[in-house]
Amino acid sequence: QVQLVESGGGSVQPGESLRLSCAASGITFSIYTMGWYRQAPGKQRELVARIRSGGSTVYADNVKGRFTISRDNAKRTVALQMNSLKREDTAVYYCKAEITASGRYYWGQGTQVTVSS
């Protein structure tokens, strides 16, 4: 049984930081591309950042320089360090594990991030 469990969400003020974590089980974690996506109310789910099995990363333009994705294959976790948070970062953040070539993917249940003064 595959499980992706996100944690670390919460409510912060603009300019503050949060660190999200996703713990995976039931998959061979090291071979999966891991990603963080987000969905704001009334909007489509969008890619925030992605890290391949080899460690290469991709970021959405609107988070470059503020967010950092990292993975720990030994602990089977992927993290998203979010700095200088803005109101527009408010969304539910989802962890995704995928093997693009096979079309196999799994989603976590999501964690809420709210940025408000």
Side-chain angles (χ1 to χ4, degrees):
Q1 181 182 0
V2 178
Q3 280 194 314
L4 300 176
V5 180
E6 300 100 333
S7 61
S11 296
V12 297
Q13 294 188 347
E16 294 186 339
S17 299
L18 276 176
R19 184 176 178 86
L20 305 182
S21 184
C22 171
S25 59
I27 59 173
T28 306
F29 181 83
S30 61
I31 68 172
Y32 277 75
T33 292
M34 300 300 299
W36 286 99
Y37 291 71
R38 67 187 181 189
Q39 187 166 19
K43 294 187 177 182
Q44 290 190 327
R45 193 172 297 189
E46 63 178 5
L47 173 69
V48 176
R50 185 168 58 219
I51 184 167
R52 295 189 183 277
S53 57
S56 63
T57 57
V58 171
Y59 293 92
D61 287 342
N62 54 8
V63 306
K64 283 180 182 176
R66 299 188 298 122
F67 291 10
T68 302
I69 189 171
S70 59
R71 66 188 296 159
D72 185 330
N73 289 338
K75 294 183 179 179
R76 305 164 66 84
T77 59
V78 59
L80 184 69
Q81 178 66 41
M82 304 186 295
N83 299 330
S84 302
L85 282 161
K86 304 176 180 180
R87 289 181 178 82
E88 52 263 42
D89 295 319
T90 295
V92 178
Y93 284 69
Y94 296 91
C95 176
K96 183 183 183 183
E98 64 181 320
I99 298 179
T100 307
S102 69
R104 180 179 300 176
Y105 62 91
Y106 305 97
W107 289 99
Q109 82 287 350
T111 186
Q112 177 70 46
V113 171
T114 301
V115 185
S116 174
S117 57

